[in-house]
Amino acid sequence: MLAWLSTALLATLLAACRGSDDEDKPDRRSQAERAGIGELRSAPGATVFVANLSFSLRNYGDLTAIAYSIEPRAGTWSKPLAVSVDKSWLDRRGAYQSGSARLELPVFGLYAAHANGVKLRASFRDGSQHDFRATVSTAPYAGRPSCMPGPTSVPRAVPNGRPAWTSCWSRTA
């Protein structure tokens, strides 16, 4: 009986000590790990080439920048579009909603009628980063594209024989 009582007392004391030790330990996770980035949502923007992405973010105060790139569409010669915005730009736009702890970011350069792969990176004051992905599906383009007279560009030759770049100005009629 005495052995059982001493074991129960020891277990109670150890459980009590463990709780106070956890509270005294500093959180050694990076700001990116504490960010709580999640619940990504997408809403259509002003055109099919723009979408409004929003995601949850618990520590907006530690954020320094958000960057994203649009993955090139298969079968095209395009290169990924890459954009980076710093926190001051987000502040001026009122992009962070503290009540819902959500950050809204306009993403432009999307392909119409396509499931666009978007790679995002959140950077924080301690130098840590959080990478995440989104897929943004867009509607077909409803305008009538046409090329306008503009500067003529001569593509430079590349080893595979395809042009490195071309230019065309487009407009909707």
Side-chain angles (χ1 to χ4, degrees), residues 96-102:
Y96 187 70
Q97 304 302 314
S98 58
S100 60
R102 294 194 69 77

Side-chain angles (χ1 to χ4, degrees), residues 147-158:
C147 282
M148 297 171 30
T152 303
S153 55
V154 179
R156 62 185 166 100
V158 291

Side-chain angles (χ1 to χ4, degrees), residues 47-51 68-73 78-83 106-112 116-118 138:
T47 73
V48 296
F49 308 108
V50 180
Y68 70 87
S69 64
I70 310 296
E71 296 172 355
R73 188 173 182 166
S78 62
K79 293 186 178 184
L81 172 84
V83 174
V107 174
F108 62 91
L110 300 169
Y111 297 97
N116 293 270
V118 181
T138 54

Side-chain angles (χ1 to χ4, degrees), residues 35-158:
I37 293 175
E39 195 188 356
L40 195 61
R41 297 179 194 159
S42 173
T47 73
V48 296
F49 308 108
V50 180
N52 294 310
L53 287 182
S54 70
F55 53 91
S56 59
L57 174 66
R58 283 194 302 253
N59 61 340
Y60 178 72
D62 295 328
L63 185 74
T64 58
I66 294 283
Y68 70 87
S69 64
I70 310 296
E71 296 172 355
R73 188 173 182 166
T76 67
W77 294 348
S78 62
K79 293 186 178 184
L81 172 84
V83 174
S84 179
V85 295
D86 63 12
K87 186 173 181 239
S88 63
W89 184 86
L90 295 167
D91 289 341
R92 286 191 306 271
R93 267 192 96 247
Y96 187 70
Q97 304 302 314
S98 58
S100 60
R102 294 194 69 77
L103 179 69
E104 185 174 303
L105 179 70
V107 174
F108 62 91
L110 300 169
Y111 297 97
H114 184 66
N116 293 270
V118 181
K119 294 179 183 178
L120 297 113
R121 172 173 282 171
S123 300
F124 296 89
R125 287 184 304 150
D126 67 357
S128 61
Q129 298 175 328
H130 181 86
D131 294 330
F132 53 112
R133 284 183 43 87
T135 301
V136 179
S137 295
T138 54
Y141 180 62
R144 196 179 77 203
S146 62
C147 282
M148 297 171 30
T152 303
S153 55
V154 179
R156 62 185 166 100
V158 291

